Amino acid sequence: TEHILSGRIVFDDGSEEPFGELPTNGKSLFMRFRARTTRWLRVEILTVSPGTGHPGFAEISVFK
């Protein structure tokens, strides 16, 4: 019942990469965007399904 519908990744330079609904079946959401050097990133949850009280992520992976 906890379901994320949209969000964004914010990088230390202020740039952002939006994402849509996350899969509910445990599958990964793969995102591709331009390469960049960053010291940190923040994942923000923007919208969730009705009744979602404690949305979160089980795992986040970043690859070069």
Side-chain angles (χ1 to χ4, degrees):
T1 61
E2 308 278 315
H3 192 63
I4 297 170
L5 300 177
S6 71
R8 66 182 167 209
I9 300 172
V10 180
F11 297 91
D12 64 347
D13 66 359
S15 62
E16 301 177 358
E17 294 288 343
F19 60 87
E21 185 173 4
L22 300 185
T24 58
N25 56 5
K27 294 198 181 221
S28 299
L29 172 70
F30 291 95
M31 297 177 63
R32 291 186 185 267
F33 42 83
R34 72 171 179 83
R36 67 190 85 199
T37 300
T38 187
R39 293 181 305 169
W40 58 262
L41 61 83
R42 178 177 64 238
V43 181
E44 298 178 345
I45 298 169
L46 299 177
T47 58
V48 296
S49 62
T52 298
H54 300 93
F57 301 97
E59 184 175 335
I60 298 172
S61 299
V62 179
F63 300 95
K64 182 177 181 181

